[in-house]
Amino acid sequence: MDSIFYGLFLLLLDINVNGTDLLPAFLGYYLMYRGLKQLESEGPRFAEMKPWAIAMAVVNAILFILDLTGLNPETLGVIPVSAGTTVAFLFILYRIVQGIQELEGKMDANLESALLMRRWKHVCIVQIASYLLSGLLSFKPIRLAIA
């Protein structure tokens, strides 16, 4: 479970120097994959999320390389990539929390899964709010020129 934690830590920590991410997301997804692989025998949710973690590692590696070359996927005609990766991240995180809930019942131990689910909901709210605010802040009024 440590690998999942460290992977999530890398995914949520964003350190940029001159526009380059020092902790690329694909490393976080790789660590997450390793943790899911360790836990796959504990419940089906963990095994189900392994392909998602690998897919997200590949997508984020491509985005990282594009970023290093100065290409922006949004300007290349790729439909809102950041929104898609955020939705995929939230889905993976949700399924991991469900897996922890199942593991909690299986082990008859308190793994604080109810708290994790509340935190997941908070992350969703913050993500939605950030997209709404970024959309409002980047709104540019249309100017009409009358000749």
Side-chain angles (χ1 to χ4, degrees):
M1 204 173 294
D2 287 346
S3 292
I4 292 174
F5 171 77
Y6 292 126
L8 287 171
F9 183 74
L10 284 178
L11 289 170
L12 295 172
L13 188 64
D14 192 19
I15 300 175
N16 287 303
V17 174
N18 295 330
T20 302
D21 196 359
L22 293 181
L23 299 171
F26 68 87
L27 293 176
Y29 281 111
Y30 171 72
L31 287 173
M32 185 184 289
Y33 169 79
R34 285 185 47 197
L36 291 167
K37 188 171 172 132
Q38 292 169 350
L39 289 173
E40 70 182 328
S41 64
E42 299 295 334
R45 303 265 189 239
F46 300 116
E48 290 171 7
M49 290 298 101
K50 283 187 343 185
W52 283 83
I54 289 294
M56 289 299 292
V58 170
V59 166
N60 281 280
I62 292 168
L63 293 174
F64 182 74
I65 292 167
L66 287 174
D67 187 43
L68 287 178
T69 60
L71 298 173
N72 182 344
E74 305 280 340
T75 60
L76 295 174
V78 179
I79 309 289
V81 175
S82 62
T85 57
T86 299
V87 169
F89 167 74
L90 291 173
F91 173 71
I92 293 168
L93 191 55
Y94 177 74
R95 298 296 275 188
I96 289 172
V97 171
Q98 284 183 321
I100 292 170
Q101 286 175 327
E102 291 171 358
L103 188 59
E104 189 176 55
K106 180 179 173 183
M107 294 175 57
D108 195 31
N110 183 10
L111 300 177
E112 299 290 344
S113 64
L115 176 64
L116 289 173
M117 188 57 78
R118 283 195 305 275
R119 295 295 185 251
W120 177 83
K121 290 174 184 176
H122 294 156
V123 169
C124 286
I125 290 167
V126 168
Q127 289 295 323
I128 291 167
S130 70
Y131 276 102
L132 291 175
L133 286 174
S134 68
L136 290 175
L137 295 176
S138 66
F139 175 72
K140 296 177 182 155
I142 299 171
R143 294 186 185 155
L144 297 175
I146 300 175

